Amino acid sequence: MSGSLDETSVVSSDCCTIIHIPEKSPVLPHLQATVDVLASVIEPKHANTIVRKLNHIAPLEGLRHVKRIRKTCLDGGKSQLFVILCLASGSDGETNFVPEDVLELVNTYQLSTFTTKVCKHAASTKEEWEEQCKLWPTSFHPPTYNIDGITGFSEEDSSAVFNFMKLAVCMAKSGTSVVNAAVIVDPSTRQVIASSCDQVLSCYASTENTSRESCSSNQAEGSTKVDATKVEKDPVLLVKSSNEAKQSYKEVRCLHPWGWLEQQSHVGPDSWHPLRHAAIVAIEKSAARDRLLFPVNGQSADFAQEDYKVSSPADSPLKRQKINTNVKHDERMDHHRNGLQCDSTRPYLCTGYDIYFVWEPCIMCAMAIVHQRIRRVFYAFPNPNDGALGSVHRLQGERSLNHHYAVFRVLLPEEILKSEAIATPSKID
Amino acid sequence: MDSSVEETVPETESVAFMKLALEQAKLALDSLEVPVGCVIVEDQKWQKNGLIREEVALKFSKCTLYVTCEPCIMCAAALSIIGIKEVYYGCANDKFGGCGSILSLHTNSSGKVTCSGISKRKEFKCTRGITASGAIDLLRSFYEQGNPNAPKPHRTPVQRV
């Protein structure tokens, strides 16, 4: 699902372009559904009275976005007012059924009625709205209510977004192969909470730490040297390279969730797992971090520590923390029953955190981060195979879910991609 | 509700396995955890403990999963990825269900089917309604007693009719 209509550019700063992926797939303006209404020219001096009466006797149920009055300019600077009287009867054969109250109004003001079309649904984009108004004016409310406070990237914010995405892209190059990477970030402190590559392959254990370290140093150098003008000049180039990417990267698990079944295994046990996609492992690390940093009465921090030791970078000070909790099962249950385990400082899963992906997550990973209460999702490349955030599914628009995050695509300058060998398929084949 | 999910009159075998899943769910309830239980049943005795990909893939393809509540979108996707043979579930999951309620990830009909490349969505047979009331009763008990692991602030535990 590509194309400019699908996406609303939120910011284009001097370092990267961040594009909001809306909850609903936008409708092409000329394909929007319409309904027939009965309308009439009215005298401007009667407009107020007539509209008030109509709102009472024939409210436009389900068409709240449609304006009752239309004003058109005639030659010579004069204007003409039209009003919607009521819905015109549909194609069910009942021609021109008009409510009695409306008929009375028509007679009183000697209106000559005609049938016209208005758009059935409220516009979800400015482009849709502009098209709608050619038929009959509607009102347009940009869909900011659901992502309130989390769009509108400042220069500083978008620079941070860019740096975290760069970190993810850097991690995605793991040894000789390219995999997906996920980075969970606390945006309030700009701190990486957890990060991981796909771990369904054989050699992740040895390459990951090295990869992380080199990334950290890259990140420290900052992003100012990047020639970002290229993005603005030629965004098509980036789209093109991402399309190339989808065909080549067989080891990116979210792109090929079922690929593990067909891959030859030359490795022994313990070094692969069909479900250890980058996001799943990053979530696991984030949970282990919580258990370690926010120990709870009655939960074994030793266990958490074991988990975290395996996955944390070698130089992490967290690893050296030692917490003793040897609470017997019965006591643990008592604490639970008394509610003593509540700790208001402990984060609830990943509430308020952002996650960065190189590739749009598959449906499993996308739902996993719904469960985690992630606030914003950023990805660099779409995933036409199983992408859950706009490409195949649009999970951010599933209203029945108990949590919704805002989704953004980050367009990176070509130089970054080249330097990380992401955009050059020949290097990875 | 997706029509490709079979609604069935419980048969003895599936009911027996679902009862085992319900037992697991009860254990969870006793530990103040969300009372959803599951058991995985293998078609035939596995001959050796193989861990290479081909063997694991074959193993999953002979497994049937019994779960008290419809798998969520994440779990349904995971079951498809590992290539499970069949899933039986108790009650539907109207808010998160990935096997007919919200999405139908057990079929190829939802979303695009990938024809290019090496990977293709794996379908699995799905049957719902096995001892659904037992699963619902457990969930109801859980929400009545309040969930200590819910985010704070959260709804205070109250009795619901």
Side-chain angles (χ1 to χ4, degrees):
Chain A
M1 192 157 307
S2 57
S4 59
L5 251 177
D6 188 32
E7 300 155 342
T8 311
S9 184
V10 169
V11 72
S12 179
S13 77
D14 63 354
C15 63
C16 65
T17 305
I18 303 174
I19 295 166
H20 179 232
I21 313 292
E23 292 184 4
K24 279 198 301 182
S25 207
V27 182
L28 288 172
H30 63 276
L31 295 177
Q32 292 184 51
T34 58
V35 286
D36 287 343
V37 292
L38 198 65
S40 168
V41 178
I42 51 168
E43 291 287 323
K45 63 182 176 186
H46 295 143
N48 271 340
T49 320
I50 290 177
V51 166
R52 207 173 334 111
K53 284 184 176 170
L54 282 171
N55 283 341
H56 183 65
I57 61 177
L60 294 176
E61 297 292 350
L63 290 175
R64 293 191 172 278
H65 58 286
V66 176
K67 299 201 168 174
R68 196 104 210 188
I69 294 275
R70 178 182 198 178
K71 188 178 180 179
T72 55
C73 288
L74 300 172
D75 292 337
K78 279 189 174 180
S79 63
Q80 198 171 22
L81 287 188
F82 298 86
V83 69
I84 297 176
L85 296 168
C86 60
L87 282 172
S89 47
S91 52
D92 54 358
E94 288 185 58
T95 46
N96 290 338
F97 169 78
V98 181
E100 213 161 294
D101 291 338
V102 175
L103 274 180
E104 198 181 310
L105 199 79
V106 168
N107 291 335
T108 309
Y109 293 95
Q110 297 190 325
L111 305 176
S112 64
T113 63
F114 63 96
T115 302
T116 188
K117 287 182 188 305
V118 300
C119 281
K120 194 174 179 181
H121 304 293
S124 61
T125 65
K126 198 161 167 281
E127 290 73 24
E128 280 182 15
W129 173 64
E130 281 167 357
E131 201 73 12
Q132 291 194 342
C133 291
K134 291 177 189 168
L135 278 180
W136 189 280
T138 59
S139 52
F140 172 56
H141 302 289
T144 51
Y145 56 92
N146 48 356
I147 48 171
D148 192 30
I150 45 181
T151 56
F153 295 90
S154 69
E155 194 79 4
E156 208 187 343
D157 287 342
S158 55
S159 162
V161 166
F162 174 67
N163 274 329
F164 287 123
M165 186 55 84
K166 216 174 82 167
L167 173 65
V169 167
C170 180
M171 286 177 65
K173 177 129 172 54
S174 169
T176 54
S177 57
V178 174
V179 295
N180 206 357
V183 180
I184 299 174
V185 172
D186 180 351
S188 65
T189 59
R190 303 224 164 109
Q191 185 190 8
V192 174
I193 299 296
S195 63
S196 180
C197 300
D198 289 335
Q199 290 194 347
V200 297
L201 297 167
S202 56
C203 51
Y204 66 84
S206 56
T207 55
E208 193 191 6
N209 280 347
T210 5
S211 161
R212 275 189 65 120
E213 276 157 26
S214 63
C215 284
S216 308
S217 58
N218 273 4
Q219 197 193 13
E221 283 170 26
S223 59
T224 45
K225 288 175 192 165
V226 175
D227 176 19
T229 53
K230 187 124 188 181
V231 177
E232 285 169 24
K233 274 188 204 154
D234 195 5
V236 180
L237 189 66
L238 285 174
V239 174
K240 200 176 158 191
S241 47
S242 68
N243 286 341
E244 282 167 13
K246 85 190 172 195
Q247 287 159 6
S248 316
Y249 297 105
K250 290 178 179 165
E251 288 166 342
V252 175
R253 286 283 66 109
C254 285
L255 280 176
H256 303 285
W258 297 273
W260 74 275
L261 289 162
E262 286 123 54
Q263 270 167 1
Q264 295 296 310
S265 62
H266 308 290
V267 292
D270 303 330
S271 51
W272 64 278
H273 190 296
L275 301 178
R276 289 179 72 79
H277 292 201
I280 304 295
V281 185
I283 288 167
E284 188 181 84
K285 289 181 181 181
S286 160
R289 177 184 182 274
D290 278 358
R291 287 199 297 273
L292 192 65
L293 293 182
F294 306 94
V296 159
N297 287 339
Q299 279 192 5
S300 170
D302 289 341
F303 181 65
Q305 194 177 14
E306 281 307 307
D307 280 1
Y308 203 60
K309 198 186 283 178
V310 175
S311 54
S312 62
D315 57 349
S316 168
L318 301 174
K319 186 182 154 187
R320 290 191 287 271
Q321 289 184 13
K322 183 73 186 170
I323 298 146
N324 289 313
T325 46
N326 288 316
V327 187
K328 281 187 210 150
H329 179 75
D330 290 356
E331 291 173 45
R332 196 182 308 169
M333 290 314 300
D334 285 346
H335 284 303
H336 271 294
R337 301 258 181 230
N338 297 331
L340 291 178
Q341 85 286 7
C342 297
D343 182 354
S344 57
T345 61
R346 184 179 195 171
Y348 181 69
L349 306 172
C350 291
T351 303
Y353 294 168
D354 298 340
I355 191 165
Y356 293 79
F357 288 97
V358 180
W359 273 274
E360 177 188 1
C362 70
I363 188 81
M364 175 182 73
C365 294
M367 189 62 192
I369 60 175
V370 169
H371 287 316
Q372 285 295 311
R373 310 293 208 273
I374 287 281
R375 189 179 68 151
R376 299 186 298 190
V377 185
F378 298 90
Y379 65 80
F381 304 126
N383 172 355
N385 295 349
D386 197 36
L389 305 180
S391 295
V392 178
H393 303 283
R394 200 173 279 257
L395 210 59
Q396 67 267 45
E398 291 290 348
R399 297 321 298 172
S400 74
L401 304 183
N402 63 344
H403 174 76
H404 298 90
Y405 40 61
V407 179
F408 303 90
R409 182 169 172 205
V410 179
L411 295 184
L412 291 167
E414 187 79 341
E415 283 81 356
I416 297 289
L417 306 175
K418 276 198 178 128
S419 70
E420 301 301 337
I422 293 288
T424 46
S426 57
K427 279 193 186 177
I428 58 115
D429 282 343
Chain B
M1 183 65 78
D2 190 84
S3 58
S4 65
V5 180
E6 286 183 21
E7 193 120 30
T8 187
V9 178
E11 290 164 29
T12 335
E13 189 190 74
S14 53
V15 170
F17 285 128
M18 193 59 89
K19 278 183 178 161
L20 293 177
L22 280 167
E23 273 175 32
Q24 292 300 311
K26 279 178 196 129
L27 289 177
L29 185 69
D30 293 342
S31 315
L32 301 176
E33 280 295 344
V34 179
V36 174
C38 129
V39 293
I40 296 176
V41 179
E42 242 183 82
D43 266 10
Q44 58 192 61
K45 193 81 185 154
W46 193 245
Q47 294 302 314
K48 56 175 182 175
N49 281 324
L51 276 164
I52 65 166
R53 269 167 222 255
E54 293 85 347
E55 288 172 345
V56 172
L58 184 64
K59 198 177 178 79
F60 284 135
S61 73
K62 293 174 191 288
C63 284
T64 301
L65 183 138
Y66 294 83
V67 60
T68 55
C69 180
E70 179 186 354
C72 81
I73 289 166
M74 175 182 76
C75 295
L79 290 168
S80 166
I81 291 173
I82 64 167
I84 197 107
K85 182 184 154 206
E86 193 170 357
V87 169
Y88 289 86
Y89 64 82
C91 60
N93 185 341
D94 294 339
K95 285 187 162 31
F96 311 106
C99 293
S101 290
I102 306 300
L103 295 179
S104 296
L105 300 172
H106 61 296
T107 67
N108 258 326
S109 56
S110 72
K112 288 184 219 163
V113 180
T114 306
C115 301
S116 63
I118 53 172
S119 60
K120 193 171 181 184
R121 179 176 294 283
K122 292 270 182 264
E123 299 192 296
F124 54 88
K125 195 178 168 219
C126 214
T127 310
R128 72 158 185 255
I130 316 286
T131 65
S133 59
I136 291 170
D137 288 347
L138 284 173
L139 285 163
R140 191 169 287 148
S141 311
F142 175 73
Y143 288 109
E144 278 172 6
Q145 75 187 9
N147 179 4
N149 294 319
K152 281 91 189 159
H154 62 87
R155 182 180 61 81
T156 47
V158 283
Q159 296 296 315
R160 280 162 62 186
V161 184

